[in-house]
Amino acid sequence: MEATGTDEVEKIKSKFISAWHNMKYSWVLKTKTYFSRNSPVFLLGKCYHFKTDESGELSTDGSNFDKINTEISGNVEEFRKDFISRIWLTYREEFPQIKGSALTTDCGWGCTLRTGQMLLAQGLMLHFLGRAWVWPNALDIDSSDSESWTAHTVKKLTASFEASLTAEREPKILSKHHQGTLKRNCDDREMRNEVYHRKIISWFGDSPLAAFGLHQLIECGKKSGKIAGDWYGPAVVAHILRKAVEEARDPELQGVTVYVAQDCTGKCCDYVD
């Protein structure tokens, strides 16, 4: 009876902390990012200059760029496509309760886990898609629409992934309508890349069965003495990612290994026997 009372206290405590984190971290101050048109911008090894025109040529004399011995990858639109194509993972709420806790959100404590997820996601994108790949629909989403998304909307968008994971079958990554559109507008390689992109995203769903979802990462973290709600440092997360990839059952991930260097920097690469 005493243990039951203690559990109830812990549940109430967890709910209170979760509510506090939601209030503390849910405030959003919308700011607009400004870039200098006189300086290049580097994104994951690619160089962009906002003074270039559609052909990729500098629209001015480029005097501030002369000292930089590198190839210009594109202009502002190309940068936007590349930036939007990166996988962004951040705090989320109302996902299935984390085993062994009353938490249904990582707001306020899951920042390093989310950063680790993004690091791994980028490594997998490089592995399966290559650095030159960009999402074909990157500029089709109206920013005003995305800003108005709610938790309910996000849950609907990820429902097909999580339902397929629950059933332990191959995700229905593309709807029939979307498949038809792709067949008309894309070649086989582009369609394959689209499928890979959606599959990579499904691996990071906030579902207990998602290979690199928050639930699975927390399970891996228990071996390091961490539980849901704890603060996870970079070193621990690096080892959690290594363990999660090691235990992943998806055939596509066989032969992919994460190595953790002495300085705790994770590296995703092909396995060499």
Side-chain angles (χ1 to χ4, degrees):
M1 187 72 180
E2 184 178 347
T4 304
T6 303
D7 290 342
E8 289 299 321
V9 170
E10 287 300 316
K11 286 182 180 179
I12 294 172
K13 182 180 177 181
S14 295
K15 288 182 179 179
F16 177 78
I17 293 173
S18 177
W20 165 247
H21 283 160
N22 280 329
M23 181 181 70
K24 183 178 179 181
Y25 294 101
S26 294
W27 292 98
V28 177
L29 179 62
K30 293 183 179 179
T31 59
K32 190 172 182 179
T33 303
Y34 292 93
F35 293 100
S36 171
R37 292 181 59 84
N38 297 315
S39 301
V41 175
F42 289 86
L43 175 61
L44 298 171
K46 279 194 172 186
C47 177
Y48 297 91
H49 202 291
F50 296 166
K51 278 191 175 181
T52 57
D53 55 26
E54 292 182 359
S55 66
E57 298 293 330
L58 282 173
S59 57
T60 64
D61 60 4
S63 57
N64 292 334
F65 199 73
D66 292 340
K67 296 180 181 179
I68 300 177
N69 185 21
T70 189
E71 180 182 351
I72 305 174
S73 298
N75 55 21
V76 62
E77 290 301 303
E78 296 301 315
F79 170 80
R80 288 183 62 212
K81 289 179 184 177
D82 194 358
F83 184 83
I84 294 172
S85 298
R86 301 310 106 203
I87 295 177
W88 178 42
L89 297 158
T90 186
Y91 293 145
R92 190 179 169 195
E93 59 183 7
E94 297 183 21
F95 50 63
Q97 185 173 313
I98 297 171
K99 184 179 178 181
S101 78
L103 294 170
T104 58
T105 177
D106 64 315
C107 191
W109 58 268
C111 51
T112 311
L113 287 168
R114 295 302 190 181
T115 301
Q117 284 182 318
M118 286 190 284
L119 178 67
L120 179 58
Q122 176 60 19
L124 293 171
M125 285 180 65
L126 288 173
H127 174 68
F128 288 110
L129 304 174
R131 181 62 185 90
W133 181 86
V134 292
W135 186 32
N137 300 323
L139 300 182
D140 293 345
I141 297 178
D142 188 340
S143 60
S144 61
D145 291 339
S146 62
E147 288 173 1
S148 64
W149 286 358
T150 63
H152 178 67
T153 306
V154 175
K155 286 171 70 175
K156 286 177 63 178
L157 290 172
T158 58
S160 61
F161 292 146
E162 295 174 351
S164 61
L165 286 166
T166 302
E168 296 190 3
R169 65 176 183 270
E170 190 71 12
K172 292 182 179 179
I173 295 173
L174 300 176
S175 66
K176 291 182 179 179
H177 172 73
H178 200 170
Q179 286 178 350
T181 303
L182 284 174
K183 286 179 181 178
R184 291 193 298 272
N185 299 329
C186 302
D187 58 26
D188 291 341
R189 182 170 180 175
E190 287 175 327
M191 176 176 265
R192 178 185 65 84
N193 286 343
E194 178 82 0
V195 170
Y196 266 125
H197 180 234
R198 289 168 178 263
K199 192 168 199 177
I200 291 169
I201 293 174
S202 75
W203 288 333
F204 293 89
D206 287 322
S207 164
L209 292 178
F212 310 127
L214 194 72
H215 297 72
Q216 183 61 33
L217 297 186
I218 289 170
E219 283 298 310
C220 293
K222 288 180 179 179
K223 300 176 179 67
S224 301
K226 292 290 184 180
I227 62 173
D230 284 351
W231 186 83
Y232 292 71
V236 171
V237 170
H239 286 282
I240 286 175
L241 295 176
R242 177 190 59 77
K243 189 66 175 175
V245 172
E246 186 180 286
E247 295 181 352
R249 293 183 297 170
D250 194 300
E252 297 285 358
L253 292 166
Q254 303 309 304
V256 176
T257 303
V258 168
Y259 294 95
V260 180
Q262 291 289 338
D263 60 357
C264 301
T265 302
K267 183 178 181 182
C268 180
C269 62
D270 294 320
Y271 175 77
V272 180
D273 195 0

